[in-house]
Amino acid sequence: APVYAFYHPFPKVVVNNEGKDEQHFICTHANCKRNGAPIKRVIGGTDDGSTSNLRGHAKSCWGQAAVNDVDKMPDAAKAREMLSRPISEKLTATFMRTGKGKVSFSTTTLTTYETRYAPSPNKLRPFAIVDDEAYRVINKSGRPSYELPTSRQVSADVRTVFEGCRELIREQLTNNPAALNFSADCWSSPNRKPVLGISVHYEKDGRKVSHVLDTVVLAQSHTGGALAQAF
């Protein structure tokens, strides 16, 4: 049967605890959901020759489209040859929804053209990018089980890292016996907002250490007095 193409061509034969011979089929998918655990079939048992379990697992790892393509092949050898070539599905197929459920992802990687990504205008915020549908398809195609964080998770993680770094810098500045030197500089961002950056510099173990302490919008002239007042 062509479905055997999804598994190693020479299944192991193992004697089980009941003294019966079993065939162990190992899925060849790089990211097999069974993590290399075999699908067992007792030789001479009631399911000997049945491929229902093999087909069910192939659908979960390779996807229904791949199973349908393999079924069209005359035998497992021809099907295995087809699977050894890169498979590309139309991008629209990877966006298919089951009813009103979540987007389903392809088990095959996208082509170079399909990975050309243009985010939605409302997803240009740094954290919201992980919720963009096209971005998720690019990351999960070929590995549907790969878990991407939500924008809320990313935001929470960034805040946690920021608070940890802020506390670490506070301790370093408080316990540092060397003189602290502060600097301030102002520039205009691409959207024409004047931004003031404040940093601190000091010596530790014979080397210079610098930290950016803050950036604030300076909505006034870039005079020395204005910089000093904002600082």
Side-chain angles (χ1 to χ4, degrees):
V3 71
Y4 291 116
F6 294 110
Y7 301 88
H8 286 287
F10 303 105
K12 292 182 178 180
V13 177
V14 179
V15 179
N16 62 20
N17 295 333
E18 298 178 355
K20 298 180 179 180
D21 292 336
E22 285 182 345
Q23 287 179 308
H24 286 193
F25 295 90
I26 305 297
C27 177
T28 57
H29 196 284
N31 298 306
C32 176
K33 293 183 178 181
R34 294 177 65 91
N35 295 320
I39 296 177
K40 304 176 182 179
R41 188 172 66 185
V42 178
I43 300 177
T46 56
D47 63 344
D48 188 14
S50 172
T51 60
S52 58
N53 288 342
L54 299 178
R55 291 180 62 83
H57 175 72
K59 290 178 183 178
S60 66
C61 264
W62 296 81
Q64 183 65 59
V67 174
N68 291 343
D69 288 341
V70 162
D71 285 340
K72 299 175 184 176
M73 306 304 292
D75 52 47
K78 293 290 185 180
R80 191 170 286 113
E81 181 182 348
M82 182 194 71
L83 289 176
S84 66
R85 300 193 300 266
I87 301 175
S88 175
E89 298 181 359
K90 291 183 179 180
L91 187 59
T92 52
T94 65
F95 283 99
M96 289 177 58
R97 293 179 182 270
T98 304
K100 294 184 179 179
K102 296 182 179 179
V103 176
S104 60
F105 298 98
S106 170
T107 57
T108 57
T109 55
L110 302 179
T111 64
T112 301
Y113 176 78
E114 290 169 344
T115 55
R116 293 175 61 185
Y117 171 63
S120 302
N122 62 339
K123 299 296 183 181
L124 293 179
R125 298 182 297 276
F127 302 151
I129 193 68
V130 296
D131 294 329
D132 186 73
E133 194 166 88
Y135 177 85
R136 297 180 71 83
V137 165
I138 289 176
N139 280 273
K140 292 175 73 69
S141 292
R143 43 181 183 174
S145 59
Y146 178 64
E147 294 295 333
L148 282 170
T150 64
S151 56
R152 181 171 295 183
Q153 290 173 322
V154 174
S155 178
D157 290 345
V158 170
R159 181 176 292 275
T160 299
V161 172
F162 168 76
E163 291 176 351
C165 290
R166 180 175 60 183
E167 186 60 30
L168 178 62
I169 293 175
R170 188 200 309 275
E171 292 179 2
Q172 291 178 348
L173 297 181
T174 302
N175 300 326
N176 182 49
L180 301 178
N181 302 277
F182 296 91
S183 63
D185 190 18
C186 194
W187 69 95
S188 295
S189 63
N191 58 355
R192 299 184 180 279
K193 287 187 177 181
V195 179
L196 173 66
I198 302 173
S199 56
V200 62
H201 317 272
Y202 59 93
E203 182 183 354
K204 181 179 180 180
D205 299 330
R207 61 185 182 88
K208 187 186 78 169
V209 180
S210 300
H211 299 297
V212 176
L213 299 180
D214 202 359
T215 55
V216 295
V217 175
L218 186 65
Q220 53 186 309
S221 300
H222 304 175
T223 64
L227 295 181
Q229 183 178 3
F231 179 81

